Amino acid sequence: MPESIQFFTTGHLNEYGVSLVVDAVRLNRMDELPKKIVRHIEGCDQCKEQILQVTDLTVQQSLDQSTPHPYFDTHKKRSEFPIMWYRAAAVLAVALAGGITYYLLNQQQTSHQIDFTVHPPAIESTQTRTEDFFTATQNNLYADNFVPSPNLDDVIQSDFRSATIEVFSPNNGEFVHPPITFRWEHFDRPMKLKILTNKEITILTSIVTTNSFITTKKFEPGLYYWKLEADDELLYIGNFFVR
Amino acid sequence: MPLPTETLDITLLRNNKHEFILRCQRIIEIVVKHYMKTGMFAPTQFDDTVQTINEELINRLHRIEQNFNGSVLLNTYMNVVIRNICIRIHEKSRTEIKTEPLTDELIPHDHGNIHSLMFQDEYRRLAIVLKLYGAKQSKLKFCFKIYFRMPVTGLDVDSTFDTATGVEREYLLQHFGNTFDDTLEIDNFNILAPMMNKQERNNTTGSSLRRWTLEHLSRVIKLLNGTPPVKTHTKETVKILFEQFSR
Ligand SMILES: [Zn+2]
C-alpha cells in the first residue's frame, strides 16, 4: 500500500474515502478513521448521503471478516506502533548509557575488589580507554537527549487522536537520518513547521506553503519533536529519533 | 439476513478478469434491485441496466486494477464503483424515462412483518447518519431530545458536557430529567444555550441553538429521504425512530 493514501478528490471523499467510511460503519470502527475524514463528513451532507447509500447496499451483503482490514488492521497499526516503540527506545537508550557509565566506574574500581564480572579483552591501549571514556560520556550526554519531554508527550497523546492534519512522514518514533523529509497532506494555508529538542527548545522554524519540507540540518543523536501550526493553532505534533 | 456475496480480491482481478466480473454479478444484482425499489430504474430495465453496468465495468477494470490503492475492502469499493455507474446511467436517462417506485406487490420481499423490517432498516439508517456527525453527535442527540421534549439522562449530560460541574449537571437534569411538556420551546433552548456555550467556548443564544437544531433535523430528514427523495420521513417519523435511542 502506498504510504500516502488519498481519500479525497476535489474537496470531497473519493471512492476510496467513501469505501473506508462504509467499512468503518460496518466493522464498527468509526473511532479509527483518520480525523480529517471524520471532520469532513461531520459537515458535508453530500458525502454523508453517499456513505448512507453505500451502507444501504452493503448491509444486504455478507461481510468477510476472516482477513485483516487493509487500513484498520494493517496501515494504521503500522503508523501507531512507533508511539509505543519510541518510549521503549528512549528507556533502552537511557539504560544503555547508564550501563556504559556503570561499566566505566566498574573498570576503575575492579583493582580493589573481587571481580565476578566478565571483563572485556585484557589488552587495550590507554588511547582506546580514553576514546571509550569519551564515547561513553558522549553517549551519556546523548542519553539525556533521548529522555521524552512529558509536556510534549502529553500533547502527542491527547492531540494525536484529534490531529487536524494527516502526516505521512516521519512516523512517530521513527529513526531518521538527515536529510529529514517531513510530509503531510495538502493544507490550504501556510503553516509554521517547528522542530524542538526533547528539552522543548525550538531549533528550527520555517514557513511552509507546500505539503513537504526537507532539512539538511545536522542533528545530534536524540529525540526530537516537530509541530505544524497555522495562525498559532497547533495542527500536528509528532516526534522522531536521530541516531 | 445479509445475502451471501463472493469475496473479491485484487489477485483475482489481476489474474482472471473474467472470473472477477462473474463474482461481481451478485453485487450488481443487489445494487440494481436496490435502485429499482427506489424508483430509479423500472423493473423492465433490469436486464438492460445490468448489461450496461457490465460493459462499463469491463472498460474500467484495467484502470481499477492499476489504481486500486488497497486501503479498503475490494467488495466495498466495487459497491461504490457500481453504485456510481448506476447513478450515471440514471442521470443519463432521467430525461427520457419516468419511473415510479416499485409497489410492494412487485418487489419480492422476505416473510415476516414488513413494517417491523422497515422500521429496523430506518432505525439503522438514522443511527448511521447520527454516527456520521462525529464529534457533534452527542450535541445533536442532546438538542434533538430537547426539541422532541424527551427526558434526558445523566449519561446524556455526561457524554455531551464534559466540562459541566456537579451543580450544572443537576441544573440540566432538574429541567430536562423528567417530562417537560408544559414549558416553552424557546425557554428550553435558553436554558440549554449557556451550558452549550461553556462546552463549546462559544457565545450563542437560545434561539440560534434552536435554529441550529431545526436546521440539522431537516438535514437528517433529507438524508434519510435521499436525493431525489424516495422515502417520506418527517419530524414525526424521525422522532419515533429517535425515541428508540433512549430505550
Ligand atoms: Zn464531502
Side-chain angles (χ1 to χ4, degrees), chain B residues 3-26:
Chain B
L3 305 165
T5 44
E6 305 234 37
T7 303
L8 304 170
D9 70 77
I10 192 74
T11 322
L12 182 70
L13 173 58
R14 285 194 188 118
N15 300 336
N16 192 342
K17 291 198 175 38
H18 177 74
E19 176 65 22
F20 186 86
I21 282 280
L22 283 180
R23 290 201 189 178
C24 286
Q25 294 310 300
R26 192 79 181 103

PDB file of all heavy atoms in Angstrom, chain B residues 3-26:
ATOM      1  N   LEU B   3     -27.270 -11.129   2.244  1.00  0.00           N
ATOM      2  CA  LEU B   3     -27.176 -12.102   1.154  1.00  0.00           C
ATOM      3  C   LEU B   3     -25.709 -12.448   0.934  1.00  0.00           C
ATOM      4  O   LEU B   3     -24.858 -11.568   0.953  1.00  0.00           O
ATOM      5  CB  LEU B   3     -27.761 -11.494  -0.125  1.00  0.00           C
ATOM      6  CG  LEU B   3     -29.188 -10.966  -0.002  1.00  0.00           C
ATOM      7  CD1 LEU B   3     -29.533 -10.078  -1.181  1.00  0.00           C
ATOM      8  CD2 LEU B   3     -30.157 -12.138   0.099  1.00  0.00           C
ATOM      9  N   PRO B   4     -25.423 -13.733   0.702  1.00  0.00           N
ATOM     10  CA  PRO B   4     -24.011 -14.084   0.506  1.00  0.00           C
ATOM     11  C   PRO B   4     -23.468 -13.510  -0.808  1.00  0.00           C
ATOM     12  O   PRO B   4     -24.127 -13.583  -1.837  1.00  0.00           O
ATOM     13  CB  PRO B   4     -24.027 -15.610   0.485  1.00  0.00           C
ATOM     14  CG  PRO B   4     -25.432 -15.997   0.228  1.00  0.00           C
ATOM     15  CD  PRO B   4     -26.319 -14.871   0.629  1.00  0.00           C
ATOM     16  N   THR B   5     -22.314 -12.886  -0.722  1.00  0.00           N
ATOM     17  CA  THR B   5     -21.634 -12.420  -1.937  1.00  0.00           C
ATOM     18  C   THR B   5     -20.243 -13.017  -1.917  1.00  0.00           C
ATOM     19  O   THR B   5     -19.722 -13.353  -0.864  1.00  0.00           O
ATOM     20  CB  THR B   5     -21.523 -10.884  -1.984  1.00  0.00           C
ATOM     21  OG1 THR B   5     -21.118 -10.432  -0.699  1.00  0.00           O
ATOM     22  CG2 THR B   5     -22.819 -10.219  -2.365  1.00  0.00           C
ATOM     23  N   GLU B   6     -19.644 -13.100  -3.088  1.00  0.00           N
ATOM     24  CA  GLU B   6     -18.312 -13.695  -3.162  1.00  0.00           C
ATOM     25  C   GLU B   6     -17.269 -12.661  -2.755  1.00  0.00           C
ATOM     26  O   GLU B   6     -17.408 -11.481  -3.058  1.00  0.00           O
ATOM     27  CB  GLU B   6     -18.042 -14.132  -4.599  1.00  0.00           C
ATOM     28  CG  GLU B   6     -19.120 -15.060  -5.105  1.00  0.00           C
ATOM     29  CD  GLU B   6     -18.549 -16.336  -5.641  1.00  0.00           C
ATOM     30  OE1 GLU B   6     -17.566 -16.829  -5.063  1.00  0.00           O
ATOM     31  OE2 GLU B   6     -19.082 -16.814  -6.639  1.00  0.00           O
ATOM     32  N   THR B   7     -16.240 -13.123  -2.055  1.00  0.00           N
ATOM     33  CA  THR B   7     -15.184 -12.198  -1.662  1.00  0.00           C
ATOM     34  C   THR B   7     -14.303 -11.887  -2.875  1.00  0.00           C
ATOM     35  O   THR B   7     -13.844 -12.782  -3.567  1.00  0.00           O
ATOM     36  CB  THR B   7     -14.332 -12.811  -0.532  1.00  0.00           C
ATOM     37  OG1 THR B   7     -15.222 -13.124   0.533  1.00  0.00           O
ATOM     38  CG2 THR B   7     -13.281 -11.836  -0.048  1.00  0.00           C
ATOM     39  N   LEU B   8     -14.130 -10.597  -3.102  1.00  0.00           N
ATOM     40  CA  LEU B   8     -13.322 -10.176  -4.239  1.00  0.00           C
ATOM     41  C   LEU B   8     -11.920  -9.850  -3.750  1.00  0.00           C
ATOM     42  O   LEU B   8     -11.758  -9.289  -2.674  1.00  0.00           O
ATOM     43  CB  LEU B   8     -13.924  -8.923  -4.873  1.00  0.00           C
ATOM     44  CG  LEU B   8     -15.382  -9.031  -5.308  1.00  0.00           C
ATOM     45  CD1 LEU B   8     -15.916  -7.666  -5.693  1.00  0.00           C
ATOM     46  CD2 LEU B   8     -15.525 -10.007  -6.463  1.00  0.00           C
ATOM     47  N   ASP B   9     -10.936 -10.217  -4.533  1.00  0.00           N
ATOM     48  CA  ASP B   9      -9.590  -9.777  -4.147  1.00  0.00           C
ATOM     49  C   ASP B   9      -8.796  -9.339  -5.365  1.00  0.00           C
ATOM     50  O   ASP B   9      -9.093  -9.710  -6.494  1.00  0.00           O
ATOM     51  CB  ASP B   9      -8.856 -10.816  -3.293  1.00  0.00           C
ATOM     52  CG  ASP B   9      -8.474 -12.030  -4.079  1.00  0.00           C
ATOM     53  OD1 ASP B   9      -7.504 -11.958  -4.841  1.00  0.00           O
ATOM     54  OD2 ASP B   9      -9.188 -13.049  -3.938  1.00  0.00           O
ATOM     55  N   ILE B  10      -7.787  -8.537  -5.084  1.00  0.00           N
ATOM     56  CA  ILE B  10      -7.029  -7.869  -6.142  1.00  0.00           C
ATOM     57  C   ILE B  10      -6.249  -8.877  -6.989  1.00  0.00           C
ATOM     58  O   ILE B  10      -6.086  -8.688  -8.191  1.00  0.00           O
ATOM     59  CB  ILE B  10      -6.125  -6.753  -5.548  1.00  0.00           C
ATOM     60  CG1 ILE B  10      -5.535  -5.839  -6.631  1.00  0.00           C
ATOM     61  CG2 ILE B  10      -5.041  -7.305  -4.654  1.00  0.00           C
ATOM     62  CD1 ILE B  10      -6.520  -4.877  -7.234  1.00  0.00           C
ATOM     63  N   THR B  11      -5.845  -9.991  -6.377  1.00  0.00           N
ATOM     64  CA  THR B  11      -5.098 -11.012  -7.139  1.00  0.00           C
ATOM     65  C   THR B  11      -5.988 -11.591  -8.230  1.00  0.00           C
ATOM     66  O   THR B  11      -5.543 -11.788  -9.362  1.00  0.00           O
ATOM     67  CB  THR B  11      -4.622 -12.141  -6.192  1.00  0.00           C
ATOM     68  OG1 THR B  11      -4.244 -11.541  -4.963  1.00  0.00           O
ATOM     69  CG2 THR B  11      -3.474 -12.909  -6.782  1.00  0.00           C
ATOM     70  N   LEU B  12      -7.247 -11.837  -7.861  1.00  0.00           N
ATOM     71  CA  LEU B  12      -8.187 -12.370  -8.851  1.00  0.00           C
ATOM     72  C   LEU B  12      -8.372 -11.356  -9.972  1.00  0.00           C
ATOM     73  O   LEU B  12      -8.386 -11.711 -11.155  1.00  0.00           O
ATOM     74  CB  LEU B  12      -9.528 -12.676  -8.174  1.00  0.00           C
ATOM     75  CG  LEU B  12     -10.596 -13.275  -9.083  1.00  0.00           C
ATOM     76  CD1 LEU B  12     -10.233 -14.695  -9.473  1.00  0.00           C
ATOM     77  CD2 LEU B  12     -11.965 -13.245  -8.409  1.00  0.00           C
ATOM     78  N   LEU B  13      -8.483 -10.083  -9.600  1.00  0.00           N
ATOM     79  CA  LEU B  13      -8.660  -9.030 -10.604  1.00  0.00           C
ATOM     80  C   LEU B  13      -7.467  -9.003 -11.548  1.00  0.00           C
ATOM     81  O   LEU B  13      -7.618  -8.840 -12.763  1.00  0.00           O
ATOM     82  CB  LEU B  13      -8.840  -7.676  -9.900  1.00  0.00           C
ATOM     83  CG  LEU B  13      -8.888  -6.425 -10.762  1.00  0.00           C
ATOM     84  CD1 LEU B  13     -10.000  -6.485 -11.792  1.00  0.00           C
ATOM     85  CD2 LEU B  13      -9.064  -5.179  -9.896  1.00  0.00           C
ATOM     86  N   ARG B  14      -6.281  -9.199 -11.019  1.00  0.00           N
ATOM     87  CA  ARG B  14      -5.071  -9.168 -11.858  1.00  0.00           C
ATOM     88  C   ARG B  14      -4.992 -10.398 -12.748  1.00  0.00           C
ATOM     89  O   ARG B  14      -4.641 -10.304 -13.905  1.00  0.00           O
ATOM     90  CB  ARG B  14      -3.823  -9.118 -10.976  1.00  0.00           C
ATOM     91  CG  ARG B  14      -3.643  -7.747 -10.396  1.00  0.00           C
ATOM     92  CD  ARG B  14      -2.257  -7.533  -9.804  1.00  0.00           C
ATOM     93  NE  ARG B  14      -2.271  -6.245  -9.116  1.00  0.00           N
ATOM     94  CZ  ARG B  14      -2.074  -6.078  -7.819  1.00  0.00           C
ATOM     95  NH1 ARG B  14      -1.803  -7.111  -7.061  1.00  0.00           N
ATOM     96  NH2 ARG B  14      -2.119  -4.875  -7.288  1.00  0.00           N
ATOM     97  N   ASN B  15      -5.343 -11.555 -12.168  1.00  0.00           N
ATOM     98  CA  ASN B  15      -5.077 -12.802 -12.888  1.00  0.00           C
ATOM     99  C   ASN B  15      -6.245 -13.326 -13.728  1.00  0.00           C
ATOM    100  O   ASN B  15      -6.023 -14.053 -14.673  1.00  0.00           O
ATOM    101  CB  ASN B  15      -4.662 -13.903 -11.897  1.00  0.00           C
ATOM    102  CG  ASN B  15      -3.418 -13.502 -11.142  1.00  0.00           C
ATOM    103  OD1 ASN B  15      -2.635 -12.681 -11.635  1.00  0.00           O
ATOM    104  ND2 ASN B  15      -3.228 -14.051  -9.957  1.00  0.00           N
ATOM    105  N   ASN B  16      -7.450 -12.984 -13.319  1.00  0.00           N
ATOM    106  CA  ASN B  16      -8.581 -13.559 -14.045  1.00  0.00           C
ATOM    107  C   ASN B  16      -9.763 -12.586 -14.049  1.00  0.00           C
ATOM    108  O   ASN B  16     -10.658 -12.660 -13.217  1.00  0.00           O
ATOM    109  CB  ASN B  16      -8.976 -14.892 -13.375  1.00  0.00           C
ATOM    110  CG  ASN B  16      -9.933 -15.697 -14.214  1.00  0.00           C
ATOM    111  OD1 ASN B  16     -10.572 -15.158 -15.134  1.00  0.00           O
ATOM    112  ND2 ASN B  16     -10.051 -16.974 -13.908  1.00  0.00           N
ATOM    113  N   LYS B  17      -9.720 -11.664 -15.019  1.00  0.00           N
ATOM    114  CA  LYS B  17     -10.746 -10.614 -15.065  1.00  0.00           C
ATOM    115  C   LYS B  17     -12.137 -11.188 -15.342  1.00  0.00           C
ATOM    116  O   LYS B  17     -13.135 -10.678 -14.849  1.00  0.00           O
ATOM    117  CB  LYS B  17     -10.385  -9.573 -16.120  1.00  0.00           C
ATOM    118  CG  LYS B  17      -9.160  -8.777 -15.703  1.00  0.00           C
ATOM    119  CD  LYS B  17      -9.019  -7.495 -16.448  1.00  0.00           C
ATOM    120  CE  LYS B  17      -7.864  -6.680 -15.903  1.00  0.00           C
ATOM    121  NZ  LYS B  17      -6.662  -7.432 -15.501  1.00  0.00           N
ATOM    122  N   HIS B  18     -12.154 -12.264 -16.110  1.00  0.00           N
ATOM    123  CA  HIS B  18     -13.439 -12.879 -16.445  1.00  0.00           C
ATOM    124  C   HIS B  18     -14.122 -13.384 -15.165  1.00  0.00           C
ATOM    125  O   HIS B  18     -15.284 -13.090 -14.911  1.00  0.00           O
ATOM    126  CB  HIS B  18     -13.213 -14.029 -17.439  1.00  0.00           C
ATOM    127  CG  HIS B  18     -14.468 -14.759 -17.773  1.00  0.00           C
ATOM    128  ND1 HIS B  18     -15.433 -14.212 -18.592  1.00  0.00           N
ATOM    129  CD2 HIS B  18     -14.929 -15.975 -17.379  1.00  0.00           C
ATOM    130  CE1 HIS B  18     -16.438 -15.060 -18.683  1.00  0.00           C
ATOM    131  NE2 HIS B  18     -16.169 -16.144 -17.967  1.00  0.00           N
ATOM    132  N   GLU B  19     -13.352 -14.114 -14.364  1.00  0.00           N
ATOM    133  CA  GLU B  19     -13.889 -14.643 -13.108  1.00  0.00           C
ATOM    134  C   GLU B  19     -14.267 -13.494 -12.163  1.00  0.00           C
ATOM    135  O   GLU B  19     -15.274 -13.549 -11.451  1.00  0.00           O
ATOM    136  CB  GLU B  19     -12.838 -15.571 -12.468  1.00  0.00           C
ATOM    137  CG  GLU B  19     -13.205 -16.132 -11.100  1.00  0.00           C
ATOM    138  CD  GLU B  19     -14.408 -17.065 -11.109  1.00  0.00           C
ATOM    139  OE1 GLU B  19     -14.724 -17.628 -12.167  1.00  0.00           O
ATOM    140  OE2 GLU B  19     -15.056 -17.194 -10.043  1.00  0.00           O
ATOM    141  N   PHE B  20     -13.452 -12.443 -12.180  1.00  0.00           N
ATOM    142  CA  PHE B  20     -13.720 -11.294 -11.309  1.00  0.00           C
ATOM    143  C   PHE B  20     -15.079 -10.675 -11.635  1.00  0.00           C
ATOM    144  O   PHE B  20     -15.887 -10.415 -10.753  1.00  0.00           O
ATOM    145  CB  PHE B  20     -12.598 -10.251 -11.455  1.00  0.00           C
ATOM    146  CG  PHE B  20     -12.715  -9.102 -10.487  1.00  0.00           C
ATOM    147  CD1 PHE B  20     -12.183  -9.201  -9.205  1.00  0.00           C
ATOM    148  CD2 PHE B  20     -13.383  -7.924 -10.834  1.00  0.00           C
ATOM    149  CE1 PHE B  20     -12.301  -8.154  -8.296  1.00  0.00           C
ATOM    150  CE2 PHE B  20     -13.505  -6.873  -9.936  1.00  0.00           C
ATOM    151  CZ  PHE B  20     -12.962  -6.991  -8.664  1.00  0.00           C
ATOM    152  N   ILE B  21     -15.320 -10.488 -12.954  1.00  0.00           N
ATOM    153  CA  ILE B  21     -16.605  -9.921 -13.385  1.00  0.00           C
ATOM    154  C   ILE B  21     -17.756 -10.840 -12.969  1.00  0.00           C
ATOM    155  O   ILE B  21     -18.793 -10.388 -12.493  1.00  0.00           O
ATOM    156  CB  ILE B  21     -16.607  -9.710 -14.925  1.00  0.00           C
ATOM    157  CG1 ILE B  21     -15.802  -8.449 -15.277  1.00  0.00           C
ATOM    158  CG2 ILE B  21     -18.009  -9.614 -15.490  1.00  0.00           C
ATOM    159  CD1 ILE B  21     -16.556  -7.141 -15.072  1.00  0.00           C
ATOM    160  N   LEU B  22     -17.541 -12.145 -13.123  1.00  0.00           N
ATOM    161  CA  LEU B  22     -18.580 -13.106 -12.725  1.00  0.00           C
ATOM    162  C   LEU B  22     -18.924 -12.945 -11.243  1.00  0.00           C
ATOM    163  O   LEU B  22     -20.078 -12.950 -10.848  1.00  0.00           O
ATOM    164  CB  LEU B  22     -18.126 -14.541 -12.995  1.00  0.00           C
ATOM    165  CG  LEU B  22     -18.179 -15.016 -14.448  1.00  0.00           C
ATOM    166  CD1 LEU B  22     -17.703 -16.457 -14.546  1.00  0.00           C
ATOM    167  CD2 LEU B  22     -19.614 -14.900 -14.995  1.00  0.00           C
ATOM    168  N   ARG B  23     -17.861 -12.780 -10.441  1.00  0.00           N
ATOM    169  CA  ARG B  23     -18.085 -12.650  -8.996  1.00  0.00           C
ATOM    170  C   ARG B  23     -18.733 -11.328  -8.616  1.00  0.00           C
ATOM    171  O   ARG B  23     -19.242 -11.184  -7.507  1.00  0.00           O
ATOM    172  CB  ARG B  23     -16.767 -12.805  -8.245  1.00  0.00           C
ATOM    173  CG  ARG B  23     -16.247 -14.215  -8.294  1.00  0.00           C
ATOM    174  CD  ARG B  23     -15.275 -14.460  -7.180  1.00  0.00           C
ATOM    175  NE  ARG B  23     -14.613 -15.738  -7.348  1.00  0.00           N
ATOM    176  CZ  ARG B  23     -13.680 -16.183  -6.539  1.00  0.00           C
ATOM    177  NH1 ARG B  23     -13.289 -15.458  -5.511  1.00  0.00           N
ATOM    178  NH2 ARG B  23     -13.119 -17.366  -6.743  1.00  0.00           N
ATOM    179  N   CYS B  24     -18.677 -10.366  -9.530  1.00  0.00           N
ATOM    180  CA  CYS B  24     -19.311  -9.063  -9.248  1.00  0.00           C
ATOM    181  C   CYS B  24     -20.814  -9.096  -9.520  1.00  0.00           C
ATOM    182  O   CYS B  24     -21.540  -8.173  -9.131  1.00  0.00           O
ATOM    183  CB  CYS B  24     -18.692  -7.965 -10.113  1.00  0.00           C
ATOM    184  SG  CYS B  24     -17.054  -7.474  -9.572  1.00  0.00           S
ATOM    185  N   GLN B  25     -21.278 -10.149 -10.204  1.00  0.00           N
ATOM    186  CA  GLN B  25     -22.676 -10.159 -10.653  1.00  0.00           C
ATOM    187  C   GLN B  25     -23.676 -10.049  -9.502  1.00  0.00           C
ATOM    188  O   GLN B  25     -24.715  -9.405  -9.617  1.00  0.00           O
ATOM    189  CB  GLN B  25     -22.977 -11.420 -11.490  1.00  0.00           C
ATOM    190  CG  GLN B  25     -22.224 -11.468 -12.810  1.00  0.00           C
ATOM    191  CD  GLN B  25     -22.355 -10.174 -13.610  1.00  0.00           C
ATOM    192  OE1 GLN B  25     -23.450  -9.761 -13.979  1.00  0.00           O
ATOM    193  NE2 GLN B  25     -21.227  -9.514 -13.858  1.00  0.00           N
ATOM    194  N   ARG B  26     -23.350 -10.703  -8.396  1.00  0.00           N
ATOM    195  CA  ARG B  26     -24.269 -10.671  -7.250  1.00  0.00           C
ATOM    196  C   ARG B  26     -24.396  -9.241  -6.723  1.00  0.00           C
ATOM    197  O   ARG B  26     -25.491  -8.794  -6.396  1.00  0.00           O
ATOM    198  CB  ARG B  26     -23.713 -11.613  -6.159  1.00  0.00           C
ATOM    199  CG  ARG B  26     -24.694 -11.898  -5.066  1.00  0.00           C
ATOM    200  CD  ARG B  26     -25.719 -12.949  -5.495  1.00  0.00           C
ATOM    201  NE  ARG B  26     -26.661 -13.181  -4.415  1.00  0.00           N
ATOM    202  CZ  ARG B  26     -27.902 -12.690  -4.393  1.00  0.00           C
ATOM    203  NH1 ARG B  26     -28.346 -11.970  -5.389  1.00  0.00           N
ATOM    204  NH2 ARG B  26     -28.698 -12.949  -3.376  1.00  0.00           N
TER     205      ARG B  26
END
